[in-house]
Amino acid sequence: MLLSQAHSEDAAQPSVSIAVGSWPPFLSTTQQHQGHIAHLIHGVFASQGYKVELHFMPWARAYREAAAGHHDATAIWMDEEERHLDFHYSAPVMDETFVLFHRRQTPVQWQQFSDLADLSLGGGIAYSYGPAFDQAIEQGVLTLQRVSTTEQNLKRLDAGYIDAFPEEISVGYFNLRQLSDLKHSITHHPKPISKNQSFVLFPRTQERSKVLLRHFNNGLKQLRENGRYQQYFDDFNAGKYDPMYNDVSEQLSDK
């Protein structure tokens, strides 16, 4: 049974098993509270009387195991039509905004993707930046020099090897906080290249999924209304979930 009693002293508090992939800074075993989205999910379910157990694994396995009913849910995923066959979708958990990062001294001006055609752009290997931007790449309007990590793109940008690169804004600034020598020399263009939302998915194969979905959505609504939802993101933007911040916190707590 997936909804189990974790401890005798918590007999009234059922637990929810959630399969997740690693996606720093949102979901990560190296960050405080396993990242602010993990912390948010814990908070949402806690408001409804549930204890959350996160199980980190490769994304494809997380999807497969949750769809088969081995977990109560999986998080977090963008909306794709075929996934609705396997899962019920929660209300949106997070808005994602992709922007162009560039050097402060050489700002980028653009209104449409063709305005970027003459720029040397970086990117991530096998990374999608939204249907319109991806289409501009496929049509040859844009060319990306793809590397493995956001950190590499930031360093290449600072060194002048590329003029700009697209990245989810929170991911970009999370990496900049880890590269303190670059954080004052790099910024982003305010115009998004794409926006989307992410969700918690509940398997259609499980009878309890609709109950858990209703409780999750109720809890998420409550946290939005009482301001706690925004506090998770404010704390994230202040660096309170970063690994280095966590290390300092642990050192201080020992004294």
Side-chain angles (χ1 to χ4, degrees):
M1 182 179 292
L2 292 174
L3 289 174
S4 60
Q5 312 294 345
H7 302 286
S8 58
E9 63 270 23
D10 296 330
Q13 187 180 35
S15 74
V16 180
S17 173
I18 304 181
V20 300
S22 180
W23 189 22
F26 305 121
L27 298 161
S28 173
T29 57
T30 64
Q31 292 171 249
Q32 189 175 23
H33 299 292
Q34 298 178 319
H36 73 294
I37 295 303
H39 200 199
L40 169 64
I41 291 171
H42 276 277
V44 169
F45 272 116
S47 74
Q48 303 299 297
Y50 292 93
K51 178 181 179 180
V52 170
E53 298 174 355
L54 293 184
H55 301 273
F56 281 83
M57 60 189 72
W59 283 101
R61 180 183 163 197
Y63 185 100
R64 185 173 62 251
E65 289 194 5
H70 300 311
H71 299 277
D72 295 302
T74 180
I76 54 177
W77 299 84
M78 290 188 295
D79 187 13
E80 291 189 4
E81 184 176 354
E82 62 270 20
R83 292 175 183 162
H84 286 266
L85 299 175
D86 296 320
F87 293 99
H88 302 290
Y89 273 63
S90 74
V93 173
M94 182 182 72
D95 295 325
E96 300 171 18
T97 301
F98 285 82
V99 296
L100 283 174
F101 283 84
H102 60 83
R103 293 182 297 278
R104 289 184 184 275
Q105 293 184 340
T106 53
V108 171
Q109 302 298 331
W110 75 283
Q111 290 300 318
Q112 52 192 11
F113 293 142
S114 59
D115 297 334
L116 305 172
D118 293 333
L119 297 183
S120 177
L121 300 175
I125 295 174
Y127 214 106
S128 171
Y129 298 101
F133 197 88
D134 291 348
Q135 184 178 30
I137 296 171
E138 293 171 5
Q139 293 176 344
V141 176
L142 304 176
T143 301
L144 268 61
Q145 302 175 27
R146 296 181 182 265
V147 293
S148 299
T149 68
T150 301
E151 179 181 344
Q152 286 175 298
N153 272 317
L154 287 168
K155 290 180 177 179
R156 286 163 53 79
L157 178 60
D158 182 67
Y161 294 120
I162 56 176
D163 299 311
F165 77 97
E167 182 57 272
E168 204 286 325
I169 190 168
S170 295
V171 175
Y173 280 105
F174 165 76
N175 280 271
L176 273 176
R177 288 199 296 271
Q178 316 312 306
L179 301 170
S180 57
D181 56 328
L182 303 186
K183 65 182 181 181
H184 298 299
S185 62
I186 293 175
T187 187
H188 75 280
H189 191 283
K191 180 180 173 65
I193 64 167
S194 67
K195 289 187 174 184
N196 57 60
Q197 295 175 314
S198 288
F199 307 82
V200 175
L201 308 186
F202 297 85
R204 292 183 178 273
T205 56
Q206 298 302 299
E207 292 182 5
R208 290 190 178 92
S209 286
K210 289 186 177 180
V211 174
L212 291 176
L213 172 64
R214 184 174 69 252
H215 287 170
F216 182 85
N217 284 346
N218 287 342
L220 184 61
K221 183 174 183 288
Q222 288 178 17
L223 264 61
R224 286 183 181 275
E225 290 174 347
N226 65 25
R228 287 183 58 200
Y229 176 91
Q230 186 58 45
Q231 189 62 52
Y232 289 104
F233 290 85
D234 291 343
D235 288 345
F236 165 75
N237 290 327
K240 294 184 179 181
Y241 290 93
D242 293 0
M244 291 174 60
Y245 186 96
N246 189 34
D247 290 341
V248 172
S249 299
E250 290 176 351
Q251 292 170 10
L252 293 175
S253 66
D254 291 337
K255 294 182 179 179

